[in-house]
Amino acid sequence: MAFKSEYLAKVYASVEKRNPGEAEFLQAVKEVLTSLEPVVAARPDLVKAGVIDRIVEPERFIQFRVSWVDDNGNVQVNRGFRAQFNSAIGPYKGGLRLHPSVCASVIKFLGFEQIFKNSLTGLPMGGGKGGSDFDPKGKSDGEIMRFCQSFMTELCKHIGADTDVPAGDIGVGGREIGFMFGQYKRLRNEFTGVLTGKGLTYGGSLARTEATGYGLCYFTSEMLKCMKNESFKGKTVVISGSGNVAIYATQKATELGGKVVALSDSNGYIYDKNGINLDVVKQIKEVERARISEYAKRVPGSEYHEGCRGIWSIKCDIALPCATQNELNGDEAQMLVKNGVIAVAEGANMPSTPEAVEVFQKNGVMFGPAKAANAGGVATSGLEMSQNSIRYSWTFEEVDKKLNDIMVNIFHSSYDASKKFGSEGDLVMGANIAGFLKVADAMLAQGIAY
Ligand code: NAP
């Protein structure tokens, strides 16, 4: 993918030089810069002010040691990160990921994406992301608590309700947010909305747990309706992953009339031709924290297959990748197209490789990119921040309605930008441009620090 603009080629070359070997970060930057070709032509003022040169460099990148003691009394050492990428339109905002694959490249890619996603929500939130290479799998509650407390002991020096507000992501749900919030409060002696995704008894928002999955389906519905006069009704849906995003996407897709027939984890996938029984999934994943293979042992007529990537060979109308980055490649996209897929929307961050995105777009498949389609989680985190600030709680229905409105708006601002900049229906380009322009104008207004 060569750049037409010499300026963008130069910016990308410098990102490559500064971040050698950081494959995920470079992939995310390349995608956004490619989308900005028509903006560079139309807005020389942004080029002159070095906005694109600046936006690809995090304002601050923090790396720290996290040491903790396991149940056997052994000292363990992990690495913690926080990328404070851009604060032009609000305090840094973005989740914390606990997974062994976490490294500087992964955190930078997620933090960079978050700038544009948060901008698209229309709420005043800058972009950030953090996490650690700690693996929560198989750890006791005590180990999780000690890790989270140690992690927050350092992180608390860098965050705050008006500075940087982390949330959950892979491996970080309500339990982990609770331990981290408790430690922040202990160390700082203040009760503020410094984290989102909190429990409902201490400042959390109703519908935050459901928000990313629900929001993904609201976005997909609007895309189906406006681009092809279609809906979820009667459609077969395949969803990868079986974590927070996948579970609530399954719930909403089913409520909207779709039949979800498959889910996965990193070991394999389940296929249930009768439609996934979500109560069983919730019991296995949310209560027992067990593997998805359990489902096939409990639900007659369902099947378990080893190897998570096989999920894309299942015939479906709508595919919602909700597990992790680069989980769907060009060959798998070809398979989905051959099997008649009409729409793909990303619940996970950057789950489709660039080759997969190209296959979908060349074959006329409606494609909703992550930064637009999965923005419902952070949007509802923004609503949690608002409720914390006014010390008030909205009802589930109020939050859900605002979420729906935000997702519908995100579809339209992405679609409208794609049209305005000459690629009608290319939501990758549209979301990147719409998200970028708001942040770029704010950066322009705020001047340059020499
Ligand atoms: P989660 O609750 O930790 O669940 C992640 C799920 O994905 C688990 O079932 C995990 O299985 C599975 N998984 C991981 N790698 C996989 C692979 N290679 N193939 C198949 N399944 C795999 O995390 P989550 O919050 O749902 O996040 C999922 C994705 O959504 C991430 O990309 C995240 O950045 C994105 N996202 C989340 C939110 C949010 O509000 N939570 C918001 C926006 C975007 P194992 O148990 O085997 O690891």
Coordinates of all heavy atoms in Angstrom, one line a residue, residues 97 99 110 117 129 137 168-172 208 212 240-246 264-268 285 291 308-309 322-325 327 347-349 374-375 377-378, ligand 1:
R97 N -5.6 -3.5 29.3 CA -5.6 -4.9 28.8 C -4.6 -5.8 29.6 O -3.4 -5.4 29.7 CB -5.3 -5.0 27.3 CG -5.2 -6.4 26.7 CD -5.0 -6.4 25.2 NE -6.1 -5.9 24.5 CZ -6.2 -6.1 23.2 NH1 -5.3 -6.6 22.5 NH2 -7.3 -5.6 22.6
H99 N -3.0 -9.3 29.3 CA -2.9 -10.5 28.4 C -1.4 -10.7 28.1 O -0.6 -9.7 28.0 CB -3.6 -10.2 27.1 CG -3.8 -11.5 26.2 ND1 -2.9 -11.9 25.3 CD2 -4.8 -12.4 26.2 CE1 -3.3 -13.0 24.7 NE2 -4.4 -13.3 25.2
L110 N -3.5 0.4 20.2 CA -4.8 0.6 20.8 C -5.0 2.0 21.2 O -6.1 2.6 21.0 CB -4.9 -0.4 22.0 CG -5.0 -1.9 21.6 CD1 -4.8 -2.7 22.9 CD2 -6.4 -2.2 21.0
K117 N -11.6 6.9 17.7 CA -12.9 6.3 18.2 C -13.6 7.2 19.2 O -14.8 7.5 19.1 CB -12.5 5.0 18.9 CG -13.7 4.2 19.4 CD -13.3 3.0 20.3 CE -12.3 2.1 19.5 NZ -12.2 0.8 20.1
K129 N -4.5 4.3 26.3 CA -4.7 2.8 26.5 C -3.5 2.3 27.4 O -2.5 2.9 27.4 CB -4.6 2.1 25.1 CG -5.1 0.7 25.2 CD -6.6 0.7 25.0 CE -7.2 -0.7 25.1 NZ -8.6 -0.7 24.7
K137 N -5.3 -15.7 33.3 CA -5.9 -17.1 33.2 C -5.3 -18.0 34.3 O -4.1 -18.1 34.4 CB -5.6 -17.7 31.8 CG -6.9 -18.0 31.1 CD -6.6 -18.5 29.7 CE -7.0 -17.4 28.7 NZ -6.3 -17.6 27.4
G168 N -11.9 -1.0 31.3 CA -11.6 -2.4 31.1 C -11.2 -2.7 29.6 O -11.4 -1.8 28.8
D169 N -10.7 -3.9 29.4 CA -10.5 -4.4 28.0 C -10.2 -5.9 28.2 O -10.7 -6.4 29.2 CB -9.3 -3.7 27.4 CG -9.1 -4.0 25.9 OD1 -9.9 -3.5 25.1 OD2 -8.2 -4.8 25.5
I170 N -9.5 -6.5 27.3 CA -9.3 -8.0 27.4 C -8.7 -8.3 28.8 O -7.7 -7.6 29.2 CB -8.4 -8.5 26.3 CG1 -9.1 -8.4 25.0 CG2 -7.9 -9.9 26.6 CD1 -8.3 -8.9 23.8
G171 N -9.3 -9.2 29.6 CA -8.8 -9.6 30.9 C -9.1 -8.6 32.0 O -8.7 -8.9 33.1
V172 N -9.8 -7.5 31.7 CA -10.1 -6.6 32.8 C -11.6 -6.4 32.7 O -12.1 -5.7 31.8 CB -9.4 -5.2 32.6 CG1 -9.8 -4.3 33.7 CG2 -7.9 -5.5 32.8
R208 N -23.2 -0.3 31.2 CA -21.8 -0.2 30.7 C -21.3 -1.6 30.3 O -20.6 -1.8 29.3 CB -20.9 0.4 31.8 CG -19.4 0.3 31.4 CD -19.1 1.1 30.2 NE -17.7 0.9 29.7 CZ -17.3 0.0 28.8 NH1 -18.2 -0.9 28.3 NH2 -16.1 0.0 28.4
T212 N -20.6 -2.4 24.7 CA -19.8 -2.5 23.5 C -20.6 -3.5 22.6 O -20.7 -3.2 21.4 CB -18.4 -3.0 23.8 OG1 -17.8 -2.2 24.8 CG2 -17.5 -3.0 22.6
S240 N -17.1 -14.2 16.9 CA -15.9 -14.8 17.5 C -15.7 -14.2 18.9 O -16.1 -13.1 19.2 CB -14.7 -14.6 16.7 OG -14.4 -13.2 16.6
G241 N -14.9 -15.0 19.7 CA -14.7 -14.7 21.1 C -15.9 -15.1 22.0 O -16.9 -15.6 21.4
S242 N -15.7 -15.0 23.3 CA -16.9 -15.3 24.2 C -16.7 -14.5 25.5 O -17.0 -15.0 26.6 CB -16.9 -16.8 24.5 OG -15.7 -17.3 24.8
G243 N -16.1 -13.4 25.3 CA -15.9 -12.5 26.5 C -17.0 -11.4 26.5 O -18.1 -11.6 26.0
N244 N -16.6 -10.3 27.1 CA -17.6 -9.3 27.4 C -18.3 -8.8 26.1 O -19.5 -8.8 26.0 CB -17.0 -8.1 28.1 CG -17.9 -6.9 28.2 OD1 -17.9 -6.0 27.3 ND2 -18.7 -6.9 29.2
V245 N -17.5 -8.5 25.0 CA -18.1 -7.9 23.8 C -19.0 -9.0 23.1 O -20.1 -8.8 22.7 CB -17.0 -7.4 22.9 CG1 -17.6 -6.8 21.6 CG2 -16.2 -6.4 23.6
A246 N -18.4 -10.2 23.0 CA -19.1 -11.3 22.2 C -20.4 -11.7 22.9 O -21.5 -11.8 22.3 CB -18.2 -12.5 22.2
S264 N -16.4 -18.4 20.1 CA -15.1 -19.1 20.3 C -14.3 -18.6 21.5 O -14.7 -17.7 22.1 CB -14.3 -18.8 19.0 OG -14.0 -17.4 18.8
D265 N -13.2 -19.3 21.8 CA -12.2 -18.7 22.6 C -10.8 -19.0 21.9 O -10.9 -19.5 20.8 CB -12.3 -19.1 24.1 CG -12.1 -20.6 24.3 OD1 -11.5 -21.3 23.4 OD2 -12.6 -21.1 25.4
S266 N -9.7 -18.8 22.6 CA -8.5 -18.9 21.9 C -8.1 -20.4 21.6 O -7.2 -20.7 20.9 CB -7.3 -18.2 22.6 OG -7.3 -18.7 23.9
N267 N -8.9 -21.3 22.2 CA -8.6 -22.8 22.0 C -9.5 -23.4 20.8 O -9.0 -24.3 20.1 CB -8.9 -23.6 23.2 CG -7.9 -23.3 24.3 OD1 -8.3 -22.8 25.4 ND2 -6.7 -23.5 24.1
G268 N -10.7 -22.9 20.7 CA -11.6 -23.5 19.7 C -12.9 -22.8 19.6 O -13.1 -21.7 20.2
K285 N -18.8 -18.7 31.2 CA -17.8 -17.6 31.1 C -17.8 -16.6 32.2 O -16.7 -16.2 32.7 CB -17.9 -16.9 29.7 CG -17.8 -17.7 28.5 CD -16.6 -18.6 28.4 CE -15.3 -17.8 28.2 NZ -14.1 -18.7 27.9
R291 N -13.8 -22.8 30.0 CA -13.5 -22.7 28.6 C -14.9 -22.9 27.8 O -15.8 -23.6 28.3 CB -12.5 -23.8 28.2 CG -11.3 -23.9 29.0 CD -10.5 -22.5 29.0 NE -10.1 -22.1 27.7 CZ -9.8 -20.8 27.4 NH1 -9.9 -19.9 28.3 NH2 -9.4 -20.5 26.1
C308 N -9.4 -21.9 17.0 CA -10.4 -20.9 16.9 C -10.7 -20.4 15.5 O -11.7 -19.9 15.2 CB -10.0 -19.7 17.9 SG -8.3 -19.2 17.6
R309 N -9.7 -20.5 14.6 CA -9.8 -19.8 13.3 C -10.9 -20.5 12.4 O -11.4 -19.8 11.5 CB -8.5 -19.7 12.6 CG -7.4 -19.0 13.4 CD -6.3 -18.5 12.6 NE -6.6 -17.3 11.8 CZ -6.1 -16.1 12.1 NH1 -5.3 -15.9 13.1 NH2 -6.4 -15.1 11.3
C322 N -15.2 -10.5 17.5 CA -15.2 -9.8 18.8 C -14.1 -10.4 19.7 O -14.3 -10.4 21.0 CB -16.6 -10.0 19.4 SG -17.9 -9.2 18.6
A323 N -13.0 -10.9 19.2 CA -12.0 -11.5 20.0 C -10.8 -10.7 20.2 O -10.6 -10.1 21.2 CB -11.7 -12.9 19.5
T324 N -10.0 -10.6 19.1 CA -8.7 -9.9 19.2 C -8.2 -9.4 17.9 O -8.8 -9.7 16.9 CB -7.7 -10.8 20.0 OG1 -6.6 -10.1 20.4 CG2 -7.2 -11.9 19.1
Q325 N -7.0 -8.7 17.9 CA -6.5 -8.2 16.7 C -6.0 -9.3 15.7 O -5.5 -10.3 16.1 CB -5.3 -7.2 16.9 CG -4.1 -7.8 17.6 CD -4.1 -7.6 19.1 OE1 -5.1 -7.4 19.7 NE2 -3.0 -7.8 19.7
E327 N -7.4 -11.5 13.9 CA -8.0 -12.8 14.1 C -8.7 -13.3 12.8 O -9.2 -14.4 12.7 CB -9.0 -12.9 15.2 CG -10.1 -11.8 15.1 CD -11.3 -12.1 16.0 OE1 -11.8 -13.2 16.0 OE2 -11.8 -11.2 16.6
G347 N -16.2 -5.9 16.4 CA -16.4 -5.7 17.9 C -15.1 -5.6 18.5 O -14.9 -4.8 19.5
A348 N -14.1 -6.4 18.1 CA -12.8 -6.3 18.6 C -12.0 -5.2 17.9 O -12.5 -4.6 17.0 CB -12.0 -7.6 18.4
N349 N -10.8 -4.8 18.4 CA -10.0 -3.8 17.8 C -9.1 -4.4 16.8 O -8.3 -5.3 17.1 CB -9.2 -3.1 18.9 CG -10.1 -2.1 19.7 OD1 -10.8 -1.3 19.1 ND2 -10.0 -2.2 21.0
N374 N -17.3 -0.4 17.4 CA -17.2 -0.9 18.8 C -17.0 0.3 19.8 O -16.7 0.1 20.9 CB -16.1 -1.9 19.0 CG -14.7 -1.4 19.0 OD1 -14.5 -0.2 19.2 ND2 -13.7 -2.2 18.7
A375 N -17.4 1.5 19.3 CA -17.2 2.7 20.1 C -18.3 2.8 21.2 O -18.2 3.7 22.1 CB -17.3 4.0 19.3
G377 N -18.7 1.0 23.8 CA -18.2 0.8 25.2 C -17.6 2.1 25.8 O -18.0 2.6 26.8
V378 N -16.8 2.7 25.0 CA -16.1 4.0 25.5 C -17.2 5.1 25.6 O -17.1 6.0 26.4 CB -14.9 4.4 24.7 CG1 -15.2 4.9 23.3 CG2 -14.1 5.4 25.5
Ligands
NAP1 P1 -12.6 -10.4 27.2 O1 -13.9 -10.3 28.0 O2 -11.3 -10.7 27.9 O3 -12.8 -11.6 26.1 C1 -11.9 -11.8 25.1 C2 -12.4 -13.1 24.4 O4 -11.7 -13.3 23.2 C3 -12.2 -14.3 25.2 O5 -13.2 -15.2 25.0 C4 -10.9 -14.9 24.7 O6 -10.7 -16.3 24.9 C5 -11.1 -14.6 23.2 N1 -9.9 -14.7 22.4 C6 -8.7 -14.1 22.6 N2 -7.9 -14.4 21.6 C7 -8.6 -15.1 20.7 C8 -8.4 -15.7 19.5 N3 -7.2 -15.6 18.9 N4 -9.4 -16.3 18.8 C9 -10.6 -16.5 19.4 N5 -10.9 -16.0 20.6 C10 -9.9 -15.3 21.3 O7 -12.4 -9.1 26.3 P2 -13.4 -8.2 25.6 O8 -13.6 -7.0 26.5 O9 -14.6 -9.0 25.2 O10 -12.6 -7.6 24.4 C11 -12.6 -8.3 23.1 C12 -12.2 -7.3 22.0 O11 -13.0 -6.2 22.0 C13 -10.7 -6.8 22.2 O12 -10.2 -6.5 20.9 C14 -11.0 -5.4 22.9 O13 -9.9 -4.5 22.7 C15 -12.3 -5.0 22.1 N6 -13.1 -4.0 22.8 C16 -13.6 -4.2 24.1 C17 -14.3 -3.2 24.7 C18 -14.9 -3.4 26.0 O14 -15.7 -2.5 26.5 N7 -14.7 -4.5 26.7 C19 -14.6 -2.0 24.0 C20 -14.1 -1.8 22.7 C21 -13.3 -2.8 22.1 P3 -9.6 -16.8 25.9 O15 -10.3 -16.9 27.2 O16 -9.2 -18.1 25.3 O17 -8.4 -15.8 25.9

